[in-house]
Amino acid sequence: MAEVLYLEIGSEEIPAGYILPALEAMSAQMVRFLDENRIRHGEPFTTGTPRRLVLKVPGVDPHQEACTTEIMGPPKQVAFDAEGRPTKAAEGFARGQGVAVEEIRIKQTPKGEYLCIVREETGVSTRELLEKMLPDFVAHIPFPKSMRWGSLSVTFARPIRWIVALLGGEVLNFQYGDIQSGNQSLGHRFLSPEWITVTDTESHRENLRKHFVILDREERRKLIEDGIHEAARSVGGRILEDDELLDEVTQIVEYPQPIVGEYEEKYLQLPPELLITVIKKHQRYFAVIDAQGNLLRYFVTVANTIPRDVKVVAAGNARVVRARLEDARFYYEEDQKTRLEDRVEQLKGVVFHSKLGTSWEKVERFTAVARWLGEKLAPRCVDALLRAAYLSKADLVTGMVGEFPELQGVMGRAYARLQGEPEAVAQAIFEHYLPNRAGGPVPQSLEGSLLSMADKMDTIVSCFGVGLIPSGTADPFALRRQTLGIIRIILEKPFVVSLSGMIDQALPLLSKKLTAPPEKVKEAVLEFFQGRLLHYLVSQEGYSADVVEASLAVGIDDLVDAVARTKALAAFKSRPDFESLAAAFKRVVNIIKEPEPAPVDPSLLQNAEEQALFSSLRDTEGVVAGCLAGADYAAALESMSRLKGFIDAFFDSVLVMDKDEAVRRNRLALLTRIRNLFSGVADFRKIQTV
């Protein structure tokens, strides 16, 4: 009878950003273990709070599935002599497998008769396997940073205080550090710090609720969402929607209690973005707006306990916010005493990276890329673009950004507007940081889009140029995000622009800093872009990996063109006759080990089928060339598909590897032309077929 596996790891408060990735890893890790060990199971469920990570797997079989394994040995003719006596080969095979020669079987295979040993594995209990595995399982839950505690050598995100591990309601016994697994969980840290005996998962969920812990993440999120909206309505406003903040707050409370706070009207004179940042980033409070979207002087906090006196807590929250806003107001007023353009020179003293020089040097580099992009894509915007590039990093040396680093770009735009810069310049200063998070918005203005691409490309090329390349999960300069940012801007606008051209503009001013030849840096950057584009098209756009790989193999210099090819190829693959078409294409490609450079000589085409193929190929080449010139890949593939019958007839009737060298090379030249035609759209060898 199938059983429920339940694992709850209780600890000190885990940082909000650690929880979801850890839960995803726990689920994947457990599924992999169960599958590899032939243990049937249901769909895993995970949830978490700041103090507990929970994994539940229903339908777990209490025993491994039995299996039969065949171990193949040497050929029969080698293992036995003419009289049927076992040779040293047979004896060695038997000895190596720990069996007698008499236990060896003979198996008929497509290659002939071979020695074979059949092992029957009955399978061990799931409980036994899990108890051995779980200490290592806990140790390998990934966190950005882990810690040790006490004198222990084990690590975790925060010190572990309890572990509940059950299979079918019975404890799975193992130890991690100084914690022995059991069936004891703990209630809310402040409201109900009492031990709870876990007998089954459903009653445990309700017991936790009685002890002021809302275990289910989605339920907790809904409670917070409803609660903060109700709190905002109580003061005549509504919550400024912020899913990112809502997700974060969901991970830092176990029993949410919304509380309204307020600050003085005078702070509403500050830029809205500044107020929101102070409230959100530093306090994790929700801003409140009116029906027109204007900020009100209220905010909503979410406490992790039931306050004895709500007014006292609200007043305390207000004091904290007031102090931060007063700091912000001071820096805001002081910063305005110096113009942005007068601050640019100070960037010569701001180190971007020890290997890459100052922020001033960085501005010089990406300004060159921005100029090139502007002249190609938006000539009328070049002046505004260059002005924005010049001022774009000036707010790094303002007091406000020094105190609130997350406001870079936001304050640059605010100060540019106050100092009379054109709106296009001010907006580009802000937008050149976009997208600043996964799935975040891309710049809307032309100037902002081009400046963002230029800045990001300089960072990518610079880091690759001095060996600061992402490895594994380490990506300190967020090069993956910045690369995806360029990809999204180009595709969403869309911009027809050369990636190679952008890289070529970024490299010259780095010449004295590069630790690798420029051509190697360019090659590595393009390969990195190809990997990120593949990931984006598969994970975000839903294309199959083999189709994307086949399409991108043709090239990615023009990203818009590369995606158009991918889209057409994906549609082409969905055709009912694709399998046979792909087989014909692959047959052509696979037979050519090295391309034949010589032209096809029509006089050497001896067979009617090869003459018909050559004639059809010439007609198709003309049609396909026109289609490719207009980026009509669907039409190009449709035209190429008409060659299938001629290709099949050719292979059925013609011996490619003719004894006559001239005839053989001419036929290879014909197939090379067909291969070259296909390769203008995709590398069909990469497409998976049944």
Side-chain angles (χ1 to χ4, degrees):
M1 181 179 177
E3 300 172 330
V4 174
L5 168 64
Y6 182 80
L7 179 67
E8 178 183 316
I9 305 171
S11 70
E12 299 295 329
E13 276 75 3
I14 300 171
Y18 289 19
I19 295 174
L20 287 181
L23 292 173
E24 290 172 1
M26 288 171 65
S27 177
Q29 193 174 316
M30 183 59 72
V31 166
R32 184 164 56 250
F33 170 80
L34 295 174
D35 289 345
E36 289 175 353
N37 284 276
R38 308 187 311 279
I39 301 170
R40 289 193 295 267
H41 61 87
E43 189 70 22
F45 166 81
T46 60
T47 191
T49 77
R51 300 195 68 214
R52 64 200 78 219
L53 301 177
V54 172
L55 169 67
K56 174 182 174 182
V57 187
V60 176
D61 198 306
H63 287 87
Q64 282 182 308
E65 289 183 344
C67 76
T68 301
T69 304
E70 290 185 340
I71 303 170
M72 303 303 294
K76 178 183 177 182
Q77 62 185 26
V78 174
F80 294 95
D81 60 20
E83 284 74 36
R85 294 188 297 267
T87 65
K88 290 183 178 180
E91 292 171 350
F93 175 60
R95 187 168 54 253
Q97 298 302 319
V99 300
V101 173
E102 292 74 20
E103 296 180 59
I104 297 175
R105 301 181 186 180
I106 305 299
K107 182 173 181 177
Q108 183 67 45
T109 76
K111 295 182 179 180
E113 292 183 311
Y114 280 75
L115 271 61
C116 172
I117 292 174
V118 179
R119 295 192 185 279
E120 302 285 346
E121 295 185 37
T122 57
V124 300
S125 76
T126 300
R127 172 176 299 277
E128 180 182 341
L129 291 169
L130 284 170
E131 288 181 339
K132 291 179 181 177
M133 179 274 288
L134 281 170
D136 187 65
F137 175 89
V138 176
H140 284 86
I141 297 173
F143 301 104
K145 291 182 179 179
S146 296
M147 63 181 293
R148 293 185 175 89
W149 58 97
S151 59
L152 301 173
S153 60
V154 299
T155 63
F156 202 69
R158 292 294 184 269
I160 295 177
R161 296 300 182 225
W162 74 89
I163 298 176
V164 176
L166 305 174
L167 181 64
E170 298 296 323
V171 172
L172 290 165
N173 290 298
F174 71 95
Q175 187 166 338
Y176 188 73
D178 59 351
I179 302 297
Q180 176 66 41
S181 64
N183 63 352
Q184 296 293 301
S185 179
L186 200 61
H188 192 283
R189 183 169 193 164
F190 306 114
L191 298 174
S192 184
E194 301 170 5
W195 289 106
I196 307 165
T197 300
V198 185
T199 54
D200 65 86
T201 58
E202 290 308 312
S203 65
H204 180 48
R205 183 189 301 266
E206 294 309 311
N207 282 338
L208 282 174
R209 190 188 306 276
K210 295 173 184 176
H211 288 78
F212 302 98
V213 175
I214 306 300
L215 182 61
D216 185 81
R217 178 183 174 276
E218 290 304 316
E219 180 186 355
R220 203 164 62 249
R221 189 181 193 275
K222 185 67 167 59
L223 285 172
I224 295 170
E225 187 173 21
D226 292 345
I228 61 176
H229 281 287
E230 179 60 32
R233 284 193 293 271
S234 72
V235 291
R238 59 189 178 91
I239 291 293
L240 178 64
E241 298 292 342
D242 192 328
D243 285 342
E244 182 183 26
L245 180 58
L246 180 58
D247 286 338
E248 184 179 8
V249 172
T250 300
Q251 305 294 19
I252 62 176
V253 296
E254 290 194 320
Y255 198 74
Q257 296 294 310
I259 301 172
V260 175
E262 62 181 300
Y263 50 84
E264 288 84 348
E265 289 275 357
K266 64 182 180 180
Y267 296 118
L268 292 175
Q269 298 171 12
L270 296 172
E273 300 93 341
L274 172 55
L275 284 169
I276 293 168
T277 298
V278 171
I279 292 170
K280 171 185 175 179
K281 293 290 186 180
H282 290 271
Q283 308 306 138
R284 296 191 179 100
Y285 297 169
F286 292 88
V288 178
I289 57 177
D290 63 19
Q292 288 71 45
N294 302 310
L295 278 176
L296 298 176
R297 60 188 179 93
Y298 300 102
F299 57 87
V300 179
T301 69
V302 180
N304 189 34
T305 186
I306 301 174
R308 293 181 181 177
D309 189 331
V310 172
K311 291 182 179 179
V312 171
V313 175
N317 292 336
R319 280 195 299 272
V320 174
V321 168
R322 189 180 302 115
R324 301 299 290 175
L325 291 179
E326 192 59 37
D327 289 343
R329 188 172 72 151
F330 169 78
Y331 289 117
Y332 183 63
E333 293 173 351
E334 286 295 306
D335 285 343
Q336 292 180 59
K337 296 176 181 179
T338 305
R339 294 183 62 81
L340 281 179
E341 60 187 348
D342 296 331
R343 295 182 182 275
V344 175
E345 191 76 13
Q346 298 176 44
L347 294 174
K348 293 180 179 179
V350 178
V351 176
F352 171 64
H353 189 277
S354 59
K355 294 182 178 181
L356 295 169
T358 65
S359 292
W360 169 273
E361 293 174 274
K362 177 170 177 55
V363 169
E364 284 190 310
R365 292 195 302 268
F366 71 69
T367 296
V369 182
R371 182 189 297 275
W372 181 82
L373 285 169
E375 290 173 349
K376 286 191 169 297
L377 299 173
R380 283 183 280 185
C381 299
V382 170
D383 289 344
L385 176 60
L386 295 181
R387 179 65 174 173
Y390 181 71
L391 298 175
S392 60
K393 303 299 182 182
D395 66 352
L396 295 180
V397 292
T398 62
M400 183 70 80
V401 172
E403 181 70 12
F404 304 100
E406 60 272 22
L407 286 173
Q408 55 190 287
V410 172
M411 298 317 301
R413 176 176 63 180
Y415 294 146
R417 285 171 172 169
L418 286 169
Q419 294 164 14
E421 294 291 341
E423 178 59 23
V425 172
Q427 189 64 12
I429 291 172
F430 166 71
E431 288 187 330
H432 91 281
Y433 286 104
L434 303 180
N436 53 13
R437 57 182 171 80
V442 300
Q444 294 303 300
S445 70
L446 266 176
E447 294 88 350
S449 298
L450 301 182
L451 190 56
S452 175
M453 290 163 59
D455 184 21
K456 289 174 173 58
M457 183 60 82
D458 170 71
T459 301
I460 296 162
V461 174
S462 296
C463 289
F464 270 79
V466 297
L468 302 173
I469 301 172
S471 59
T473 58
D475 187 7
F477 291 93
L479 300 188
R480 294 185 180 96
R481 175 172 59 77
Q482 299 206 52
T483 301
L484 182 57
I486 293 175
I487 289 170
R488 285 187 55 208
I489 291 170
I490 289 175
L491 296 181
E492 291 182 31
K493 285 304 170 188
F495 287 139
V496 177
V497 64
S498 166
L499 279 181
S500 295
M502 290 177 65
I503 297 169
D504 288 340
Q505 296 302 311
L507 281 168
L509 289 177
L510 284 164
S511 58
K512 294 181 180 179
K513 303 181 187 299
L514 296 179
T515 58
E519 60 275 11
K520 292 293 185 183
V521 175
K522 180 177 179 178
E523 180 182 338
V525 171
L526 285 171
E527 183 178 345
F528 190 68
F529 264 91
Q530 182 161 333
R532 300 318 298 163
L533 179 59
L534 188 152
H535 180 268
Y536 173 74
L537 292 175
V538 172
S539 64
Q540 301 298 314
E541 300 298 319
Y543 293 107
S544 63
D546 62 322
V547 166
V548 178
E549 288 179 2
S551 172
L552 300 191
V554 176
I556 63 160
D557 195 50
D558 181 342
L559 293 178
V560 174
D561 191 61
V563 174
R565 277 199 316 273
T566 303
K567 182 178 180 180
L569 189 60
F572 189 66
K573 187 182 178 183
S574 67
R575 292 170 48 142
D577 60 343
F578 176 78
E579 294 290 331
S580 60
L581 290 170
F585 294 162
K586 287 183 178 182
R587 195 172 183 185
V588 170
V589 173
N590 291 337
I591 202 170
I592 303 171
K593 304 303 180 185
E594 293 291 336
E596 175 55 58
V600 177
D601 183 351
S603 67
L604 292 175
L605 301 174
Q606 303 172 345
N607 186 289
E609 283 75 15
E610 62 182 328
Q611 292 170 359
L613 176 58
F614 180 59
S615 175
S616 179
L617 174 62
R618 285 186 301 182
D619 294 340
T620 303
E621 285 173 332
V623 174
V624 169
C627 294
L628 296 184
D632 190 348
Y633 293 105
L637 287 165
E638 181 62 37
S639 296
M640 289 160 55
S641 71
R642 300 190 187 108
L643 288 173
K644 177 189 179 301
F646 296 99
I647 293 171
D648 290 343
F650 172 84
F651 281 117
D652 288 343
S653 306
V654 176
L655 177 63
V656 176
M657 297 303 180
D658 195 271
K659 294 181 180 179
D660 186 318
E661 181 181 0
V663 172
R664 180 175 69 252
R665 292 189 61 185
N666 197 56
R667 288 171 178 168
L668 289 172
L670 175 60
L671 295 179
T672 297
R673 274 179 65 168
I674 296 173
R675 191 198 72 164
N676 292 343
L677 181 69
F678 296 158
S679 64
V681 177
D683 182 347
F684 283 88
R685 291 172 299 181
K686 296 182 180 296
I687 297 182
Q688 296 177 3
T689 52
V690 178

